[in-house]
């Protein structure tokens, strides 16, 4: 008895149009990147991203230069923020760490005077760090550890660290008590303890020049139909990812259009502290200046398209003059629906 098959779905767009994008790569930091990805995924799965197939695969390449060791634990803040956010385990109010968190371990450590008291390590979160640390000490590369952790969270993306190598952002700050007049602190101390209140004299990403992209990163970029840069920090999130040798070239020479979303609205960074670090690079704090800092792909940079906020419409002409397609739309990620509309504007800009 014959079996009749329904005709297979036509995966190509009508004649003349570009086929729908089926594989997306995004380069992400922590809170800003994760929020963008969650809204993007909900729009994507609803078929609401112009030019993108609803079942497209998404690979997220996350920054690992914020990673550090504390109390013998390997902590990867940006990987965990993306994993928890997309896996439904994030504390939504805080934007980082686990929901339903308790803090008994940190309180006990504080009672011993065993700091640092400024770095939040919740009890549930510590379980993640324990599993990761055990696996790392057993010799597994971070990419394999991340894949193992994601088997629990099922984030609906393939989550890759930018590199398996140890890379750490350090910030040089002025210190008159030092003979050299300056002192270097780990990024976490600068960001969390000092809240970036002291001017950064330099950003030094230790180990970056010797790092290699994690397994799967270059392959994902070579097979991508679209690359997205969420509104993550251009210096210490996207900047460090692009600094992994070979990664910027893979974006520039790869087949996929690259579209980014400005993390700067007006002359400010909405949430977070991006402004302080842009100052240290000498990049003006504006949506247009960040786009020109990334540069047009056609002119040796990484961008084909860039979204600025509707209130920054005066920046569009300057971005276009630099060879980057640009549109002005609302860029506040107030909820997933608003974020999904941002993502739709981004795909529309480069995939039509
Ligand atoms: P981190 O690793 O936790 O610092 O997070 P990311 O590097 O991924 O993103 C932080 C950046 O996201 C901040 O510096 C802001 O510039 C940006 N950001 C946060 N909320 C919003 C928003 O609602 N809209 C836009 N356009 N950018 C935002
Ligand atoms: Ca981060």
């Amino acid at each position: 008895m014959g079996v009749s098959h329904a005709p297979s779905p036509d995966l190509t767009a009508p004649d003349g149009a570009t086929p729908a994008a089926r594989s997306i790569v995004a380069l992400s930091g922590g809170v800003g990147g994760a929020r963008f990805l969650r809204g993007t995924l909900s729009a994507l799965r609803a078929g609401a991203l112009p030019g993108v197939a609803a079942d497209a695969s998404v690979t997220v390449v996350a920054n690992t230069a914020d990673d550090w060791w504390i109390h013998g634990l390997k902590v990867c803040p940006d990987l965990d923020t993306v994993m928890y956010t997309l896996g439904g385990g994030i504390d939504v109010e805080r934007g980082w760490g686990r929901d339903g968190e308790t803090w008994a371990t940190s309180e006990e450590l504080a009672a011993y005077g065993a700091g640092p008291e400024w770095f939040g390590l919740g009890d549930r979160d510590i379980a993640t760090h324990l599993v990761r640390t055990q696996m790392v000490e057993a010799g597994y590369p971070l990419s394999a550890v991340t894949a193992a952790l994601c088997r629990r969270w099922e984030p609906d993306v393939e989550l890759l660290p930018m590199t398996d190598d140890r890379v750490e952002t350090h910030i040089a700050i002025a210190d008159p008590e030092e003979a050299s007049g300056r002192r270097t602190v780990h990024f976490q101390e600068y960001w969390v303890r000092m809240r970036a209140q002291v001017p950064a004299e330099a950003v030094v990403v230790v180990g970056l020049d010797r790092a290699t992209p994690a397994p799967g990163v270059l392959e994902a970029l070579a097979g991508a139909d679209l690359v997205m840069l969420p509104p993550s920090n251009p210096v210490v999130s996207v900047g460090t990812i692009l600094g992994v040798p070979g990664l910027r070239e893979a974006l520039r020479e790869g087949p996929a259009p690259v579209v980014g979303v400005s993390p700067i609205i007006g002359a400010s960074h909405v949430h977070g502290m991006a402004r302080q670090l842009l100052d240290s690079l000498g990049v003006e704090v504006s949506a247009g200046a960040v786009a020109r800092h990334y540069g047009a792909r056609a002119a040796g940079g990484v961008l084909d398209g860039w979204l600025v906020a509707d209130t920054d419409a005066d920046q569009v002409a300057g971005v276009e003059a630099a060879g980057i397609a640009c549109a002005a739309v609302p860029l506040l990620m107030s909820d997933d629906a608003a974020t999904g509309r941002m993502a739709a504007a981004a795909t529309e800009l480069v995939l039509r």
Side-chain angles (χ1 to χ4, degrees):
M1 200 173 77
V3 179
S4 71
H5 289 276
S8 48
D10 183 4
L11 298 178
T12 55
D15 281 351
T18 323
R22 311 201 58 86
S23 57
I24 300 178
V25 176
L27 312 186
S28 180
V31 179
R35 268 202 192 130
F36 178 78
L37 290 166
R38 194 181 55 205
T40 298
L41 274 170
S42 71
L44 168 66
R45 298 300 175 226
L49 295 188
V52 183
D55 62 350
S57 69
V58 180
T59 302
V60 176
V61 178
N63 172 49
T64 58
D66 292 14
D67 296 7
W68 70 324
W69 287 82
I70 179 82
H71 297 301
L73 299 176
K74 181 165 174 65
V75 179
C76 301
D78 289 358
L79 280 170
D80 286 350
T81 298
V82 172
M83 181 174 77
Y84 294 155
T85 300
L86 302 185
I90 198 77
D91 182 296
V92 176
E93 291 285 298
R94 260 198 326 268
W96 56 270
R98 292 279 285 108
D99 57 354
E101 191 56 285
T102 56
W103 304 90
T105 310
S106 284
E107 284 160 23
E108 289 294 305
L109 286 165
Y112 284 112
E117 72 296 330
W118 46 264
F119 191 77
L121 271 180
D123 300 325
R124 288 171 181 254
D125 197 28
I126 285 172
T128 304
H129 310 321
L130 285 168
V131 174
R132 174 186 293 122
T133 305
Q134 280 174 24
M135 289 189 71
V136 166
E137 306 246 281
Y140 288 98
L142 184 60
S143 50
V145 176
T146 304
L149 294 171
C150 284
R151 279 200 278 283
R152 170 182 176 195
W153 291 104
E154 300 183 339
D156 190 23
V157 299
E158 184 173 15
L159 179 59
L160 302 175
M162 65 188 197
T163 178
D164 280 335
D165 301 320
R166 182 166 178 169
V167 171
E168 277 184 21
T169 300
H170 291 229
I171 308 286
I173 57 171
D175 185 348
E177 288 181 11
E178 295 287 327
S180 62
R182 53 153 66 171
R183 166 166 85 93
T184 301
V185 296
H186 190 285
F187 174 76
Q188 294 299 347
E189 182 171 359
Y190 181 75
W191 208 242
V192 184
R193 184 170 83 81
M194 302 178 158
R195 307 210 52 79
Q197 295 300 314
V198 186
E201 297 201 337
V203 177
V204 182
V205 191
V206 181
L208 190 60
D209 53 340
R210 283 171 281 114
T212 52
V217 170
L218 295 182
E219 293 81 351
L221 287 169
D225 299 319
L226 172 69
V227 176
M228 300 182 99
L229 306 189
S232 286
N233 188 306
V235 184
V236 289
S237 295
V238 179
T240 48
I241 300 171
L242 290 174
V244 175
L247 225 142
R248 189 187 300 272
E249 295 69 24
L251 238 71
R252 187 183 301 149
E253 289 152 24
V258 181
V259 64
V261 177
S262 177
I264 302 292
I265 299 180
S268 173
H269 42 227
V270 200
H271 297 289
M273 295 170 276
R275 181 176 54 74
Q276 287 84 337
L277 295 170
L278 283 169
D279 284 347
S280 78
L281 289 192
V283 175
E284 177 200 296
V285 183
S286 73
V290 174
R292 287 186 291 275
H293 168 66
Y294 285 137
R297 209 148 70 103
V302 296
L303 289 177
D304 295 292
W306 185 245
L307 292 182
V308 303
D310 48 354
T311 47
D312 287 330
D314 62 337
Q315 306 271 312
V316 171
V319 174
E320 286 182 335
I324 302 163
C326 188
V329 299
L331 287 191
L332 275 180
M333 299 191 284
S334 38
D335 55 30
D336 282 350
T339 308
R341 287 191 290 276
M342 285 165 55
T347 68
E348 168 113 40
L349 190 62
V350 294
L351 289 181
R352 272 182 318 153

